[in-house]
């Protein structure tokens, strides 16, 4: 049977893979790792199957990931980052992020940049980033001090950037933020 035959399982797999590549998730983009979740990997010849499984496993070894501006048009789902457990630095500036509702646990994350997104609150999921010491929310839509209260759970948060957020225009905002986050050393 010819490889390009529409009835060939390998051809069908690669055709579906090419379609999947047009809508990659963050997890799939990390270090060139492509996770083909909805594709018939079990039906592939063993060498190819092992290769794809190895790629998926290597996602757990990614330390630094910068996806600034990669999804600006359509937004991104934070849940797609779930397999990146060793991640130390993550930058998601201007990716159309509106919510952190599906934010995965990232116990090793030290620096997180979420600037220029549409986030206005709902920061509770960041508590799963227990090692987080630097957080950049500049240019987001954070409008109230109350929206920042969940960050108090991050006892090691040393630097916070809220420049160009509506909350920065609140009278006495700097002293109130320092009071709310006593470990904080740098603001904006």
């Amino acid at each position: 049977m010819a490889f390009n035959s529409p009835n060939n399982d390998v051809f069908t797999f690669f055709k579906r893979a090419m379609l999947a590549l047009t809508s990659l998730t963050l997890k799939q983009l990390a270090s060139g790792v492509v996770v083909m979740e909805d594709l018939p990997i079990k039906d592939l010849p063993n060498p190819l199957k092992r290769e794809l499984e190895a790629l998926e496993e290597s996602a757990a070894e990614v330390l630094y990931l910068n996806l600034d501006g990669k999804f600006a048009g359509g937004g991104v789902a934070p849940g797609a980052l779930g397999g990146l457990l060793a991640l130390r630095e993550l930058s998601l500036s201007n990716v159309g992020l509106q919510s952190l509702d599906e934010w995965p646990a990232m116990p090793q994350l030290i620096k997180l940049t979420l600037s220029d997104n549409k986030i206005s609150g709902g920061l509770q999921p960041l508590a799963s980033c227990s090692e987080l010491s630097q957080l950049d929310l500049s240019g987001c839509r954070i409008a109230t001090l109350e929206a920042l209260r969940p960050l108090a759970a991050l006892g090691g948060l040393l630097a916070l950037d809220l420049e160009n957020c509506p909350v920065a225009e609140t009278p006495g905002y700097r002293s109130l933020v320092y009071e709310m986050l006593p470990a904080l050393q740098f603001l904006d």
Side-chain angles (χ1 to χ4, degrees):
M1 180 178 342
F3 174 74
N4 62 356
S5 166
N7 297 323
N8 183 318
D9 287 338
V10 175
F11 174 79
T12 301
F13 172 82
F14 281 107
K15 181 178 175 185
R16 291 176 68 191
M18 292 308 292
L19 290 173
L21 288 173
T22 62
S23 58
L24 289 176
T25 65
L26 292 176
K27 180 179 175 184
Q28 293 167 326
L29 287 172
S31 270
V33 175
V34 177
V35 182
M36 314 283 187
E37 294 170 353
D38 296 326
L39 301 176
I41 293 175
K42 66 182 185 319
D43 298 331
L44 290 176
N46 282 336
L48 185 55
K49 179 180 175 182
R50 282 192 299 272
E51 178 86 14
L52 290 171
E53 288 169 348
L55 283 174
E56 184 171 354
E57 288 172 12
S58 69
E61 299 171 9
V62 176
L63 297 177
Y64 307 96
L65 183 60
N66 183 324
L67 296 172
D68 294 351
K70 300 282 192 244
F71 300 92
V76 64
L81 297 164
L84 303 173
L85 297 176
L87 206 56
R88 303 258 191 232
E89 292 185 21
L90 174 61
S91 188
L92 295 170
S93 292
N94 192 28
V95 295
L97 194 58
Q98 297 180 29
S99 166
L100 300 177
D101 287 344
E102 297 176 22
W103 193 264
M106 293 185 174
Q108 306 289 328
L109 195 63
I110 295 170
K111 181 178 180 182
L112 177 60
T113 303
L114 297 172
S115 60
D116 300 316
N117 281 293
K118 300 173 184 177
I119 301 166
S120 61
L123 302 176
Q124 296 86 345
L126 294 180
S128 70
C129 304
S130 55
E131 297 297 315
L132 194 63
S133 64
Q134 298 176 45
L135 178 59
D136 182 351
L137 293 169
S138 62
C140 287
R141 297 180 180 173
I142 309 286
T144 67
L145 290 167
E146 191 60 34
L148 298 173
R149 196 154 308 280
L151 299 180
L154 299 170
L157 188 62
L158 302 175
L160 177 62
D161 191 346
L162 296 167
E163 189 175 7
N164 296 322
C165 286
V167 70
E169 297 173 18
T170 302
Y173 132 88
R174 292 183 64 78
S175 60
L176 293 169
V177 171
Y178 278 119
E179 186 179 307
M180 184 186 313
L181 308 170
L184 199 64
Q185 296 177 7
F186 304 99
L187 180 58
D188 301 338

